[in-house]
Amino acid sequence: MSVDEFTSLHSAIPIDRIKYDERGLVPAIVQDYLDGTVLMMAWMNSESLAKTIATGETWFWSRSRQEFWHKGTTSGHIQHVKSLRYDCDSDALLVTVEQVGDIACHTGERSCFHQVATDTKIAPPADTLSDLYQTICDRRDSPQAGSYTQSLFAGGDNKILKKIGEEAVEVVMACKDDRPTEIAGEVADLFYHTLVALAHHRVSIRDVYRVLQQRKK
């Protein structure tokens, strides 16, 4: 944990101002710090919140066992806290974390919120680029006739990189002419074709996000 992150944990949450329920508990929503995916919901009390702040790792209160639990003690899937916030009514917490192993659910799924129907599992939505990247990877792994994305993969680096070069030029021209609507469209095209290149080379967009996080100075 960086000095800035440690400082933010100790200054962001006034433990004595949180509105706990009649059991002394407050719901804590846990969110991935890279792409915003909601990973889980658990309960904290003032003591587990204090432990979370002190250690920089998530601690919760188990209602069934009536005891503290340190996330990842058994599985190894510890959550390193990046930030803590509380809502406008002071009765719910939002915890952004770096999830070790990218698994938060005891079932082995990345997120506990993966159920949409009986026996149907679908990962919850993340940010727009991550969702688009996943769709692109699906086209790569399960080709569909008539898919433009599939045609790019079929053309390999030559076709994909040529499109990135063309879109980059169009972004430059739109910016040079100061045309906001066209800038948005051309940047979207550039992002899309760059995501295709990432998927083609099997580079995760989360790896890109990690690099960008390191450049937040």
Side-chain angles (χ1 to χ4, degrees), residues 23-178:
R23 301 163 298 176
L25 302 177
V26 61
I29 304 298
V30 181
Q31 180 183 40
D32 185 276
Y33 86 109
L34 285 176
D35 63 17
T37 297
V38 176
L39 299 176
M40 57 180 285
M41 192 286 285
W43 296 91
M44 289 186 178
N45 57 21
S46 59
E47 291 83 5
S48 64
L49 177 55
K51 283 178 175 286
T52 297
I53 292 173
T55 64
E57 297 175 356
T58 53
W59 285 78
F60 304 104
W61 178 256
S62 171
R63 294 171 300 167
S64 60
R65 300 191 305 272
Q66 288 293 294
E67 64 182 16
F68 294 111
W69 59 285
H70 178 203
K71 175 64 178 174
T73 297
T74 302
S75 65
H77 299 147
I78 291 169
Q79 295 172 341
H80 298 293
V81 180
K82 294 293 185 178
S83 69
L84 279 163
R85 293 176 175 81
Y86 58 104
D87 75 342
C88 56
D89 294 321
S90 303
D91 60 1
L93 303 176
L94 178 64
V95 190
T96 57
V97 304
E98 179 180 7
Q99 176 66 66
V100 173
D102 284 336
I103 296 175
C105 185
H106 73 281
T107 65
E109 297 291 329
R110 182 185 177 207
S111 168
C112 293
F113 297 97
H114 58 264
Q115 299 185 117
V116 294
T118 303
D119 298 327
T120 301
K121 296 181 179 181
I122 298 178
D127 65 279
T128 299
L129 286 181
S130 294
D131 283 348
L132 176 57
Y133 176 77
Q134 185 57 55
T135 298
I136 289 170
C137 289
D138 290 343
R139 296 292 184 274
R140 178 198 64 201
D141 299 335
S142 301
Q144 296 184 7
S147 166
Y148 173 68
T149 302
Q150 173 56 31
S151 73
L152 290 173
F153 286 127
D157 265 342
N158 286 342
K159 187 168 185 177
I160 295 169
L161 299 182
K162 181 175 182 292
K163 287 299 298 182
I164 290 177
E166 292 173 355
E167 300 301 343
V169 170
E170 291 179 7
V171 169
V172 171
M173 296 306 297
C175 289
K176 185 175 183 298
D177 294 338
D178 192 23

